[in-house]
Amino acid sequence: EVQLVESGGGLVQPGGSLRLSCEASGFAFSFYEMNWVRQAPGKGLEWVSHISSNGITTYYADSVKGRFTISRDNAKNSLYLQMNSLRDDDTAVYSCARESSAYDQGGFDRWGQGTRVTVSS
Amino acid sequence: SYELTQPPSVSVSPGQTASITCSGDKLGDKYVCWYQQRAGQSPVLVIFQDSKRPSGIPERFSGSNSGNTATLTISGTQAMDEADYYCQAWASTTVVFGGGTRLTVL
């Protein structure tokens, strides 16, 4: 069974840092491109970042560029999001999402349950 | 930056057809995906590449995309289809989600 399990969320003060993790199981993680998507309380989905299967290519939303860093360790079947200089508006549930490998732009076919990040003083 | 616009809400009676639109500049030139998010749950991919259904998604879900508008159509809507629906597309090196549409089955 495909599973994506996020961890690392919590309460952090503005300007602080957090590192989120997403542990994958049930599929060949190293072959899949991965993303982080967040959802602020009562709001819609917001894409955060993308990483290629080999970790070389990364993309970021303008709202997090220069503050967040996506990375992965294929040997550990894990995806990460290092979040620095956190702001109040970064408060959200952060989920990792797998991109379909069977089709070009085939969508995010598996999602984790998410980990909650609250930025507040 | 690229934007996708959805109506905030759509209502439908059980058994009827619901249509949810997603608008963006020359959206027909891009692939569109649709996600269903039931209350308190993670999103589920229901349509990819404009009109393809992933395994396990009921046939009553269909999609189209042309010009500036993509449409998710749910035929014979059931109570279990009540959820938030999001369109999504790639714009160069970024992923864009629409603002979401709450489908209410009255």
Side-chain angles (χ1 to χ4, degrees):
Chain A
E1 180 193 3
V2 172
Q3 282 199 316
L4 296 169
V5 180
E6 302 91 340
S7 60
L11 174 64
V12 61
Q13 293 187 338
S17 298
L18 274 179
R19 188 194 194 209
L20 306 184
S21 299
C22 170
E23 185 172 345
S25 60
F27 66 100
F29 178 73
S30 63
F31 287 95
Y32 286 82
E33 301 182 337
M34 299 293 295
N35 294 263
W36 287 98
V37 178
R38 69 184 181 183
Q39 190 166 27
K43 302 297 184 182
L45 303 175
E46 181 187 11
W47 172 76
V48 173
S49 185
H50 161 97
I51 188 167
S52 60
S53 57
N54 60 11
I56 292 176
T57 301
T58 59
Y59 303 130
Y60 298 92
D62 287 344
S63 57
V64 307
K65 200 172 295 183
R67 300 187 300 121
F68 290 11
T69 301
I70 190 172
S71 63
R72 65 191 296 162
D73 185 338
N74 286 343
K76 294 183 178 180
N77 290 336
S78 292
L79 176 72
Y80 306 102
L81 186 67
Q82 177 66 43
M83 305 187 297
N84 299 330
S85 303
L86 283 161
R87 311 187 302 220
D88 290 355
D89 61 0
D90 293 317
T91 294
V93 172
Y94 286 73
S95 300
C96 58
R98 186 184 83 170
E99 283 191 45
S100 168
S101 67
Y103 298 90
D104 177 40
Q105 296 185 25
F108 299 170
D109 65 354
R110 291 291 189 275
W111 296 65
Q113 288 297 314
T115 185
R116 186 173 302 273
V117 173
T118 302
V119 184
S120 175
S121 54
Chain B
S1 61
Y2 195 79
E3 294 185 357
L4 295 175
T5 301
Q6 299 180 234
S9 62
V10 168
S11 298
V12 64
S13 299
Q16 298 304 302
T17 296
S19 295
I20 299 173
T21 58
C22 173
S23 300
D25 185 48
K26 297 180 181 178
L27 185 58
D29 293 342
K30 306 179 188 299
Y31 276 137
V32 173
C33 297
W34 290 92
Y35 300 87
Q36 175 194 68
Q37 187 179 33
R38 294 189 176 111
Q41 297 186 18
S42 297
V44 173
L45 179 67
V46 295
I47 293 289
F48 66 97
Q49 286 189 346
D50 298 338
S51 59
K52 295 182 171 69
R53 278 180 294 104
S55 174
I57 300 302
E59 290 185 9
R60 63 180 182 273
F61 288 87
S62 63
S64 63
N65 182 21
S66 179
N68 295 322
T69 304
T71 303
L72 173 69
T73 302
I74 309 173
S75 305
T77 307
Q78 301 181 8
M80 66 186 299
D81 299 329
E82 188 162 282
D84 294 327
Y85 290 85
Y86 296 89
C87 59
Q88 174 254 309
W90 277 93
S92 184
T93 58
T94 63
V95 173
V96 182
F97 285 99
T101 298
R102 177 150 297 176
L103 177 67
T104 302
V105 182
L106 300 168

